[in-house]
Amino acid sequence: MAGRRVVSLVPSLTEAVAVSAPGTLVGATDWCTHPAGLDVVRVRGTKNPDVERIVALAPDLVVANEEENREPDLAALRAAGLEVLVTEVRTLEQAFAELARVLTACGAAARPEWLAAAEAAWREVRPGSRARRAVVPVWRRPWMVLGRETFAGDLLARLGVANVYAGHAERYPRVPLAELHESGAELVVLPDEPYAFGADDGPEAFPAMAAAPVSGRHLTWYGPSLAEAPGVLGAALRAA
């Protein structure tokens, strides 16, 4: 599959493809910030890709995700004759499997070292004897939190954090702040994306809980950052 032309509509997959199959990417979204200095055509956002520009790039493959990208946009790309590979990533195991599938489809010459390192790093994770009950906001105004079957929730569970909304009917439910306060959580985990929570934006809304600002890239991206994620996230959680 030498000379493959790929457009990625998923920031974490963009990074994975760029470092594992150099020269393959010809287009990526405006949100694809890694690796730094990536020089490809930008095709707007994950939710509003410029279909005409993507088609004009004549890619052999468009890489997408069932959560990050909208089906009408993917259908339009297929209707234009493009091959679209849609990933589903709701657990760490799925992430590893889908990364291998994407990289093979993109023509990566061999299984990358970072993927083996990530698998090894997560095999070493041993959660504590008692899980810490937590709420994990991903948006503010309105408040939205992690619910059922999320990749980030699976990573946190492996690190000893029990999401109190893991059994919710929705994957990203809107929950009033007063209800979050009464959820029984002892910890609030605040990633800096998609909403940019930080030390001065978020913890003040949960005065009765320990607050753990964390790297959104390490919590929500499935790519080379997975090798560092256990250490980075573990340190942030311990500091809380």
Side-chain angles (χ1 to χ4, degrees), residues 137 140 143 177 181 188 190 195-207 211 213:
R140 185 171 187 164
W143 287 97
L177 186 59
H181 288 167
V188 57
L190 296 162
Y195 183 90
F197 288 112
D200 300 320
D201 187 350
E204 80 291 342
F206 302 90

Side-chain angles (χ1 to χ4, degrees), residues 87-175:
T87 57
E88 179 183 293
V89 178
R90 301 189 183 190
T91 67
L92 181 63
E93 287 88 351
Q94 274 190 313
F96 289 143
E98 291 288 58
L99 283 164
R101 182 166 75 104
V102 167
L103 296 178
T104 297
C106 291
R111 187 177 181 83
E113 291 183 4
W114 64 260
L115 185 52
E119 292 171 330
W122 281 99
R123 278 197 299 270
E124 295 299 316
V125 170
R126 298 291 184 271
S129 58
R130 186 183 71 85
R132 302 172 73 185
R133 290 172 55 80
V135 293
V136 190
V138 293
W139 202 256
R140 185 171 187 164
R141 295 184 293 272
W143 287 97
M144 298 176 66
V145 300
L146 293 186
R148 64 175 180 84
E149 297 179 6
T150 66
F151 172 69
D154 186 52
L155 294 195
L156 289 172
R158 294 166 186 272
L159 294 167
V161 175
N163 173 17
V164 299
Y165 288 97
H168 197 282
E170 299 177 23
R171 296 184 66 214
Y172 299 97
R174 297 185 180 190
V175 182

